[in-house]
């Protein structure tokens, strides 16, 4: 906080980073001639699609690439230290002391074996020559500051005893413990659900105001950036495409790429304008007959008072607590709710992966137990939903072979057909998952779900792990397929905007219960339940002014 | 005995100078003194150490070489007075004999000690008393049968008389066994007695840990040198440490540092590898004691099994054997002497040289082939040789492969059947199931031809429901009769000559192929003096050793 | 926790029961007549029959096993000739070869075995974990390679050769140490340690490679984890990162393996014990097997079994304590 | 470079870091393996050993030596049978000298010994791995009861002393039952506990993965899912573990020979030679050093190769050093426990 106001806190000039990959000599240029500055007390957002080099830049500011084989060129000065040439001791002083980093994943970023307070104290003592006891006291103090209730006791807990949001707060507390001038936050909220995300963003905002911290926020969520920063830098393939004050960039983007990026962001507002998926949804909506009270078609899937409990004794949790719903052919039901509210559990019961504790699932009117061919699922994480050791063609062909198809030629041609249908090269039968990008893998997952010609597909957060542009492509594909094949879709997500775009009806879940459900426009337009209202207000807005207003709303809501 | 547990045998030099009293003698052993109860020890006395604690009616003459095969009085005034047909033996105890606690030793204690050895709880020991004493076969020991054994009579506190079922001229040898040591009835704790047996000898037990793994003996103040002509008892303390690896024992003795300089072993021989090293080193070589104990390693036939019923086959094998290979497999010429006779090469046994089927150094395969052809096996023959898998260089795979190779030259294919040592012993001594062809060995319970030949060739000793050592199940009335005749003799020299002649006669039948007699080589620490090795035990006599 | 203990205990008892039954069964198959062996050389048939009766070998195997189980619960009486010896529950039986109660034998031998195992544990932890960490720190370097080859050399050499070589080098050739003879800790702690030094080194060195590799790979794995990056990004020095954080990840697997190894070693490191003349359970077991002393073999195997089960439970507990993410099942 | 297809929804090229298209997992692993000179050297040593072992009869014929023929003239009977010449009496005829006591040719015995040693060690490892995988999978996929039973059986096997089992088995199996096979069985049946534990742990962590669930949804039975989805993922940890087991098994074979449960004479094995050579290392060092050196080289080669194969099979070690985020995301999705929410 003692830097001269004239000198920028961060000064990056012509930074390039290359990573060696594969066999001899080949390399990837992750950052390509990037320059920017950040003045003390200001907030800069770096946005861009996945792989555009955002994290690499953030890591370069602290010299974290040392000894990883990466090649850096250009200069990086942070708080008066030349990161590229500084000695190890100097670098250690900078790290944490002047500039602190908050990482994306709060669970894996803390040592599971030590108490949270001890970890903060350890970091504090690296930079301040104080006693163990004083450092502990400091840890409690910062934990208290970031809003951990009962900080004295909680400081002795280990990370796994914290919820995701609390862990992220603890990481921010760790950053605060060292009194840095600059906070670098790499996707600090990506792993969190909307309500918690809003809390964290509010916390960051509060700290900035209170301590005059400078903030470098890395995110692929333009909405998050809009809420939190003064300036915005849009990256693409390692270089900056556009930069300027956040309001300007969002309101009047000069570059085509920025416009495309913004257009891909799903909106909460019921605008039928931009948004790749919107037209599709409109079409789908048109197909669904208006509620005809005469004879509703037999529901594809029906849940009757479904319950599911986990654990026994004191550890017992009721994940789903008596949910009933029905889904007509060609209809999309969105399910939203915060983390742990029971969405996935419900979805897994609908396809038969999980047996309900009570209640029953009916497919086409008949009660079923266990796996049924007509119901398939698309999973959240494209990385783990495909077996890394089997070719994608094999994975897709699995249901066909299980159904007794023996003719190799027939299998191959059907797989090729499916691949083409989801927009992949039909000749890629023999490739392995790691040879595909996240979005492509999700397409493979969809192709596999389509293979047994199901009537119902449950999509559990199918786009949460993807960046906005890819997200838009995948949602568009899903709606398109539904329209074409007359599928019933259950679409689980914690992103309210995405749900709004694809769904006909939406159910809001909280602690295993459906608190509100109805047609999308009704639920989003006139939420009846206070919880739904809180969810909606937590969604970041692309308009900085609106965001500020929402922030005020939220503080009002939470104090209720 | 038939087994190797008691492998004992004479003459090393050790350190020069006059032996003096004092010091601590360390004994480094591989096997612990598990049995330290006089009732349970076998004829050889359980590895020598017990003879420091137990005195018996008679004992071995503690002298080097052949002189050491004589039996001499110990507690008794003489080696025993037989009646006319040697069925009754009378002993008189010396004056002034005391236990470690000062109480006098009586003839009743000796009787009690013998009676104990009949108890099933105290199993072990040799079979002779049971077989020889009148009523011995039915007596159950003093715990079950309080009346005692009538065939042992103690007319007074110093006299004891033994009544035998048949003439036994060699009874004085049997009276050297620890069963003839006195046990005070009041101090008998049954199976627990071995933890602290009451000493009648020059030393008493002061420590006995882990079932004989560590033993410490100190002087018995009540032992009087005047009554004991045999034991010298130079060291003040004897410290026995067992459970050591043989290689380690030999290495310690050869390094001879610290207490190991005054150390000996009573159970670990030098192996071939150690011998190879030691022979090059004068200092070490001077500390090696060499002894001979009456043992013969042989190939045994069971003529009930084809083709061994055919004497020509047995003879062919006798001709084919390559004793050089066999001796090398047993550790080389320093550790084994090629044998062509069943009796060991000692006068006490009545050794009479013969070589009925001369095979020379390396075997005579041509002669063997010729005999096989006569026997109808012109195209060769396949036989199975049973041996033990124990790595003992006696009945072990090494010896078996040497036999296998030699017979191969004569066109005999030998299949090896290696059995775990227990299984091997059970098989070879099982009359109903004796292998046709196996490696065996026999040792003397005392230096005479009797205990050597009788169990193996006496037709009355064929045992069908227990251990049968008569592997060929030979039941030749002429042989049986001769054995009875010799047993009547109390003139041991005359007996020895007749044992020798009998051996030579039986040898003609080729019921076995003598392979070699083992030689014992043992190291002593560099401060050890007065090393005496008799031909009775083959190993140094611990009661003669001095460390000062 | 109580539930965990109860459940584990029940499972352990079952395992021990199975073990004892398995040993009884195997003995039924194993060669050697216990009565004949107990009786000694050249016993005549009557004598063997007496001993067989005395040992209770005339009963069917199942009855014998029943007696054994009964003894465990209620204790048993044995005739020692002059008096009747009482063997308190849990009575593992009476060894007629040793004329001692098996429980006593085991209690006598346990300290030696325990001494050997414990010291070896320290050595393999120091050498194994130490070199594991060092090679994780210096990965790819010369140090790592040298360490790998050295520890592998120890593992690739049978322990009897390794021990003999050490013994010859240290005691015979260099004469740095006298030849070791076991001295109980209760007699003289200092001599105890000096005399066990070589056995410890032999066994510890022999086992160390496994631990070196385990430590190295777990440390490397942890080093690749995200929380390590956090501490680096906060200026914590590399050594502190490795020692305080990365090494921590290697603790649970090393603890688990050590517990299992210690457990099996309670049965005695047979070869090491016999090479160095340590009066431990391993030698007792081997001798018991050789002379078909069933009570001793069953007893020792049960001790090993119990140690393995306890070690397993302990490993689970330690695991759970070290890493609360792992719930006790 | 373009990391992820931008707005173009059409099929795109492979993602960054991907290897050439069309390569199977095995081929990729092989490619990664090829880049490690140490691994190649190790594989070369092993291949040579196997070749020599296979060609033992041929080689013996070529050098004109019978591994079982005695040469009494070459050993000094008076000195315990030590070979006359230095270095085990190595000569143009007997390349590596002769065995003390018998004078048998060491070179050919070592060759024949390699057959038994490699066969027993490999066989035992295979048994351990197969039984271990079966037991581990059963425990992990079965219900609590099955898990407890298999766990108990594992403990019983770990606690049963090899000697008791060995002696009992040698007693019941007929004498003409091949000894190497018996050794394989003894070592294998006693040593599967570790593998079972590793497999069980690994399977438990894999069981809940999305791709396993997806496979279940395809309508396959339990077994088919376990075989297709779980087994391949178990390869890496099992190979690592096998590389530790293999040398240990060789040493165990030696120790069993030492205790008299080894192969039948006159067949040699390294272990048996070693246990026989035990006391000879001062009198005739060559006799000890040769089998010990071979054993050590084999152990070293197997370890190095095992390490390399494991690394090559692990896609994480494909050569990418990550700064963090991407890997982390998939990882938390897998292992993070469901938090109670804030
Ligand atoms: N250690 C590394 N080795 C090789 N390539 C790397 C490494 N780290 C990053 N890359 C590559 O550099 C590029 C930029 O990666 P970076 O992680 O900075 O992207 P990002 O914008 O943060 O993406 P995301 O939104 O997915 O986090 C990507 O193509 C990535 O694959
Ligand atoms: N296998 C399980 N064992 C125990 N508890 C479980 C299990 N699966 C889910 N739960 C619990 O059930 C509740 C609902 O979980 P679920 O995964 O359905 O939530 P979600 O709404 O999908 O959350 P997220 O958005 O984080 O995916 C949570 O409290 C969770 O801890
Ligand atoms: Mg990133
Ligand atoms: Mg979920």
């Amino acid at each position: 906080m003692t830097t001269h106001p004239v000198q920028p806190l961060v000064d990056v000039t012509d930074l390039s980073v290359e990573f060696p990959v594969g066999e001899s000599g080949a390399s990837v240029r992750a950052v390509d001639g990037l320059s920017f500055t950040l003045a003390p007390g200001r907030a800069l957002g770096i946005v861009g699609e996945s792989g555009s080099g955002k994290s690499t830049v953030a890591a370069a500011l602290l010299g974290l690439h040392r000894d990883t084989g990466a090649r850096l060129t250009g200069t990086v000065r942070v708080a008066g230290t030349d990161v590229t040439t500084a000695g190890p001791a100097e670098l250690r002083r900078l790290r944490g002391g002047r500039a602190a980093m908050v990482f994306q994943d709060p669970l894996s970023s803390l040592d599971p074996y030590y108490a949270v307070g001890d970890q903060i104290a350890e970091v504090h003592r690296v930079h301040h020559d104080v006693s163990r006891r004083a450092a502990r006291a400091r840890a409690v103090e910062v934990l208290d500051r970031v809003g951990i209730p009962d900080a004295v006791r909680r400081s002795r807990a280990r990370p796994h005893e914290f919820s995701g949001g609390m862990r992220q707060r603890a990481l921010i507390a760790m950053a605060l413990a060292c009194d840095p001038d600059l906070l670098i936050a790499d996707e600090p909220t990506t792993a969190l659900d909307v309500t918690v995300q809003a809390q964290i963003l509010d916390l960051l905002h509060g700290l900035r105001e209170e301590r005059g911290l400078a903030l470098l926020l890395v995110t692929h969520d333009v909405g998050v950036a809009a809420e939190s920063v003064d300036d915005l830098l849009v990256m693409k393939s390692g270089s900056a495409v556009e930069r300027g004050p956040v309001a300007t960039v969002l309101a009047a983007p000069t570059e085509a790429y920025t416009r495309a990026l913004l257009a891909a962001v799903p909106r909460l507002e019921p605008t039928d304008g931009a948004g790749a998926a919107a037209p599709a949804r409109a079409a789908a909506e048109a197909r669904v007959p208006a509620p005809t009270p005469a004879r509703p078609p037999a529901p594809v899937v029906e849940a009757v008072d479904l319950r599911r409990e986990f654990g026994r004794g004191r550890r017992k949790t009721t994940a789903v607590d008596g949910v009933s719903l029905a889904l007509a052919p060609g209809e999309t039901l969105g399910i939203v709710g915060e983390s742990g509210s029971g969405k996935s559990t419900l979805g897994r019961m609908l396809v038969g992966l999980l047996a309900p504790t009570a209640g029953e699932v009916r497919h086409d009117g008949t009660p079923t137990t266990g796996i049924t061919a007509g119901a398939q699922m698309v999973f959240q994480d494209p990385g783990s939903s495909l077996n890394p050791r089997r070719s994608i063609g094999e994975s897709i062909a699995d249901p066909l072979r299980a159904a007794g198809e023996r003719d190799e030629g027939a299998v191959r041609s059907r797989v090729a057909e499916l691949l083409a249908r989801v927009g992949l090269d039909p000749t890629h039968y023999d490739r392995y998952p790691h040879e595909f990008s996240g979005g492509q893998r999700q397409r493979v997952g969809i192709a596999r779900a389509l293979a047994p010609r199901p009537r119902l597909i449950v999509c559990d957060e199918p786009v949460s792990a993807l960046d906005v542009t890819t997200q838009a492509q995948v949602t568009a594909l899903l709606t398109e397929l539904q329209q074409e094949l007359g599928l019933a879709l259950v679409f689980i997500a914690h992103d309210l905007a995405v749900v709004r775009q694809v769904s006909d009806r939406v159910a809001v879940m909280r602690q295993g219960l459906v608190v509100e459900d109805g047609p999308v426009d009704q639920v989003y337009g006139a939420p009846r339940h206070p919880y739904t209202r809180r969810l909606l207000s937590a969604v970041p807005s692309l308009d900085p002014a609106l965001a500020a207003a929402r922030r005020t709303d939220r503080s009002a809501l939470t104090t209720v | 005995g038939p087994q190797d547990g008691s492998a004992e045998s004479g003459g090393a030099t050790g350190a020069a100078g006059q032996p003096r009293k004092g010091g601590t003698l360390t004994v480094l052993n591989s096997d612990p003194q598990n049995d330290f109860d006089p009732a349970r020890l076998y004829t050889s006395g359980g590895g020598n150490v017990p003879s420091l604690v137990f005195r018996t009616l008679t004992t071995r003459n503690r002298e080097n070489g052949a002189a050491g095969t004589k039996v001499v009085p110990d507690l008794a005034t003489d080696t025993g007075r037989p009646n006319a047909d040697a069925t009754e033996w009378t002993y008189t105890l010396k004056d002034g004999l005391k236990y470690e606690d000062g109480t006098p030793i009586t003839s009743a204690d000796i009787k009690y000690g013998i009676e104990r050895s009949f108890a099933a709880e105290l199993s072990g020991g040799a079979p002779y008393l049971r077989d020889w004493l009148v009523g011995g076969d039915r007596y159950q020991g003093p715990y079950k049968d309080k009346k005692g054994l009538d065939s042992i009579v103690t007319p007074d506190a110093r006299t004891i008389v033994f009544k035998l079922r048949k003439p036994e001229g060699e009874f004085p040898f049997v009276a050297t066994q620890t069963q003839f040591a006195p046990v005070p009835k009041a101090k008998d704790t049954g199976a627990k007695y071995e933890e602290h047996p009451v000493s009648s000898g020059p030393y008493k037990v002061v420590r006995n840990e882990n079932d004989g793994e560590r033993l410490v003996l100190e002087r018995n103040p009540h032992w009087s040198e005047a009554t004991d002509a045999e034991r010298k008892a130079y060291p003040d303390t004897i410290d026995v440490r067992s459970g050591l690896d043989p290689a380690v024992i030999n290495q310690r003795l050869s390094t001879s540092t610290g207490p190991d300089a005054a150390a000996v072993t009573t159970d670990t021989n030098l192996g071939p590898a150690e011998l190879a090293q030691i022979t090059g080193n004068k200092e070490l070589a001077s500390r090696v004691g060499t002894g001979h104990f009456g043992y013969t390693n042989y190939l045994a036939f069971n003529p009930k099994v084809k083709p061994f019923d055919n004497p020509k086959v047995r003879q062919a094998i006798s001709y084919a054997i390559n004793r050089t290979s066999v001796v090398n497999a047993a550790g080389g010429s320093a550790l084994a002497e090629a044998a062509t006779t069943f009796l060991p090469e000692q006068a006490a046994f009545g050794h009479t040289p013969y070589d009925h089927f001369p095979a020379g150094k390396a075997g005579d395969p041509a002669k063997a082939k010729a005999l096989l052809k006569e026997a109808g096996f012109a195209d060769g023959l396949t036989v199975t040789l049973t041996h033990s898998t124990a790595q003992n260089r006696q009945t072990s795979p090494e010896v078996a492969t040497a036999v296998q190779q030699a017979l191969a030259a004569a066109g005999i294919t030998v299949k090896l059947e290696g059995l775990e040592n227990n299984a091997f012993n059970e098989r070879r001594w099982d009359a109903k199931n004796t292998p046709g062809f196996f490696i065996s060995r026999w040792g003397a319970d005392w230096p005479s031809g009797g205990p050597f030949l009788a169990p193996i060739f006496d037709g009355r000793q064929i045992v069908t429901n227990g251990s049968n050592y008569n592997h060929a199940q030979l039941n030749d009335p002429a042989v049986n009769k001769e054995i009875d005749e010799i047993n009547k003799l109390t003139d041991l020299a005359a007996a020895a000559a007749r044992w020798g002649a009998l051996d030579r006669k039986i040898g003609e039948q080729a019921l076995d192929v003598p392979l070699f007699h083992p030689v014992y080589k043992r190291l002593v620490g560099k401060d050890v003096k007065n090393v005496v090795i008799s031909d009775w035990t083959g190993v140094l006599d611990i009661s003669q050793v001095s460390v000062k | 926790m109580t539930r965990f203990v109860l459940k584990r205990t029940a499972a352990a008892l079952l395992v021990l029961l199975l073990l004892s039954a398995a040993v009884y069964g195997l003995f039924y198959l194993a060669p050697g007549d216990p009565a004949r062996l107990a009786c000694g050389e050249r016993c005549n048939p009557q004598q063997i029959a007496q001993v067989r009766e005395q040992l209770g070998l005339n009963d069917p195997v199942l009855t014998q096993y029943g007696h054994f189980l009964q003894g465990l619960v209620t204790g048993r009486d044995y005739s020692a000739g002059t008096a009747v010896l009482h063997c308190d529950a849990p009575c593992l039986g009476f060894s007629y070869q040793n004329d001692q109660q098996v429980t006593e034998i085991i209690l006598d031998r346990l300290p030696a075995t325990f001494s050997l195992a414990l010291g070896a544990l320290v050595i393999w932890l120091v050498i194994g974990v130490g070199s594991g960490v060092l090679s994780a720190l210096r990965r790819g370097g010369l140090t790592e390679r040298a360490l790998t080859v050295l520890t592998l050399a120890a593992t690739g050499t049978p322990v009897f050769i390794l021990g003999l070589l050490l013994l010859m080098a240290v005691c015979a050739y260099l004469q740095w140490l006298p030849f070791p003879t076991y001295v109980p800790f209760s007699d003289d702690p200092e001599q105890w340690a000096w005399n066990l030094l070589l056995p410890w080194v032999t066994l510890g060195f022999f086992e160390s490679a496994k631990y070196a590799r385990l430590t190295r790979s777990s440390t490397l794995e942890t080093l690749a984890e995200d929380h390590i990056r956090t501490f680096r990004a906060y200026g914590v020095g590399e050594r502190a990162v490795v020692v305080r954080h990365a090494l921590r990840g290697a603790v649970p697997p090393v603890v688990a393996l050590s517990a299992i190894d210690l457990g099996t070693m309670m049965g005695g490191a047979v070869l090491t014990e016999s090479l160095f003349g340590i009066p431990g359970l391993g030698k007792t077991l081997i001798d018991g097997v050789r002379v078909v002393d069933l009570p001793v073999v069953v007893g020792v195997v049960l001790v090993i079994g119990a140690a393995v089960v306890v070690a397993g439970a302990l490993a689970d507990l330690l695991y759970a304590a070290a890493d609360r993410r792992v719930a006790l099942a | 470079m373009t990391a992820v297809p931008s707005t173009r929804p059409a099929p795109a090229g492979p993602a960054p870091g991907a290897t050439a298209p069309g390569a199977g997992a095995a081929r990729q692993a092989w490619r990664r393996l090829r880049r490690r000179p140490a691994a190649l050297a190790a594989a070369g040593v092993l291949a040579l050993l196997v070749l020599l072992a296979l060609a033992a009869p041929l080689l013996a014929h070529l050098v004109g030596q019978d591994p079982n023929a005695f040469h009494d003239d070459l050993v000094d009977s008076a000195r315990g049978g030590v070979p006359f010449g230095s270095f085990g009496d190595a000569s143009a005829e007997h390349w590596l000298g002769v065995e003390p006591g018998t004078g048998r040719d060491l070179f050919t015995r070592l060759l024949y010994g390699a057959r038994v040693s490699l066969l027993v060690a490999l066989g035992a490892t295979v048994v351990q791995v197969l039984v271990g995988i079966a037991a581990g999978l059963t425990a992990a996929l079965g219900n609590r009861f099955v898990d407890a039973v298999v766990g108990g059986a594992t403990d019983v096997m770990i606690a049963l002393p090899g000697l008791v089992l060995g002696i009992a088995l040698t007693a019941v199996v007929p004498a003409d039952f091949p000894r190497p096979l018996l050794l394989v069985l003894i070592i294998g049946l006693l040593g599967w506990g570790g593998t079972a534990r590793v497999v069980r742990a690994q399977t438990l962590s894999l069981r809940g993965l999305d791709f396993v669930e997806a496979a279940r949804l395809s309508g396959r039975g339990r077994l088919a899912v376990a075989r297709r989805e779980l087994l391949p993922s178990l390869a890496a940890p099992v190979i690592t573990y096998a590389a530790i087991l293999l040398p240990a098994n060789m040493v165990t074979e030696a120790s069993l020979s030492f205790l008299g449960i080894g192969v039948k004479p006159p067949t040699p094995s390294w272990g048996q030679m070693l246990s026989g050579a035990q006391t000879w290392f001062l009198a005739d060092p060559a006799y000890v050093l040769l089998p010990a050196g071979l054993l050590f080289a084999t152990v070293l080669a197997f370890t190095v190769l095992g390490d390399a194969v494991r690394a090559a099979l692990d896609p994480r070690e494909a050569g990418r050093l990550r700064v963090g985020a991407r890997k982390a995301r998939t990882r938390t999705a897998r292992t993070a426990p469901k938090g109670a929410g804030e």
Side-chain angles (χ1 to χ4, degrees), chain A residues 509-523:
Chain A
M509 283 192 75
R510 190 183 183 210
Q511 291 173 2
L513 289 167
V514 173
V515 293
E516 179 164 2
D517 96 276
V520 264
D521 292 331
Q522 183 190 317
V523 175

Side-chain angles (χ1 to χ4, degrees), chain A residues 47-238:
Chain A
V47 297
E49 68 196 16
S50 186
S52 56
K54 309 181 295 290
S55 298
T56 309
V57 173
L61 292 187
L62 289 179
L64 288 180
H65 291 298
R66 289 260 168 115
D67 303 324
T68 62
R71 279 190 301 277
L72 254 78
T73 53
T75 57
V76 178
R77 294 186 70 83
V78 177
T81 306
D82 187 336
V83 177
T84 46
T85 59
E90 200 181 346
L91 205 57
R92 280 211 299 277
R93 269 197 301 281
L94 168 73
R95 292 176 177 176
R98 311 300 304 272
M101 189 137 174
V102 176
F103 294 95
Q104 166 177 0
D105 184 69
L107 175 65
S108 60
S109 297
L110 287 167
D111 191 326
Y113 298 123
Y114 291 98
V116 172
D118 288 343
Q119 300 189 39
I120 298 177
E122 179 186 353
V123 166
H124 181 64
R125 289 188 67 202
V126 170
H127 298 287
H128 302 265
D129 188 15
V130 295
S131 71
R132 222 170 265 275
R133 177 187 289 254
R136 290 281 326 216
R138 172 76 178 157
V140 172
E141 182 190 328
V142 289
L143 280 172
D144 189 52
R145 172 61 199 87
V146 297
I148 301 283
D150 196 3
V152 182
R153 193 173 59 83
R154 289 301 204 144
S155 71
R156 283 192 292 267
R158 295 203 233 175
H160 74 276
E161 298 169 54
F162 276 25
S163 69
M166 281 166 76
R167 286 183 208 133
Q168 198 57 285
R169 282 169 200 262
L171 274 174
I172 295 173
M174 184 182 275
L176 289 183
C178 306
D179 260 325
D181 306 323
L182 169 66
L183 201 60
I184 303 167
D186 186 1
E187 317 244 13
T189 59
T190 309
L192 307 173
D193 58 45
V194 264
T195 42
V196 185
Q197 164 170 302
Q199 289 163 15
I200 296 292
L201 292 178
D202 291 351
L203 171 66
L204 285 177
H205 186 83
L207 288 174
R208 282 211 324 116
E209 286 192 334
E210 183 185 314
R211 311 212 171 188
L213 277 178
L215 173 70
L216 185 89
L217 179 73
V218 172
T219 176
H220 66 249
D221 188 333
V222 187
V224 167
E227 288 228 339
S228 326
V229 299
D230 308 318
D231 298 300
L232 204 57
L233 177 88
V234 181
M235 278 187 78
K236 185 192 175 220
S237 308

Side-chain angles (χ1 to χ4, degrees), chain B residues 188-226:
Chain B
D188 183 15
T189 47
K192 295 273 162 198
Y193 184 67
E194 65 171 22
E195 285 171 15
H196 189 122
V198 183
S199 169
S200 50
Y203 296 92
K204 60 179 184 187
V205 179
V206 294
R207 236 173 120 166
N208 182 356
E209 287 163 6
N210 282 342
D211 197 21
E213 199 134 64
R214 174 89 192 275
L215 274 180
V216 179
L217 308 183
E218 275 171 15
R219 282 192 187 288
N220 169 11
H222 293 283
W223 170 75
S224 122
E225 223 176 323

Side-chain angles (χ1 to χ4, degrees), chain A residues 310 317 319 338-345 461, chain D residues 338:
Chain A
F310 288 107
T317 49
E338 67 192 0
S339 182
S341 55
K343 308 183 294 290
S344 299
T345 308
E461 317 239 16
Chain D
K338 303 275 180 172

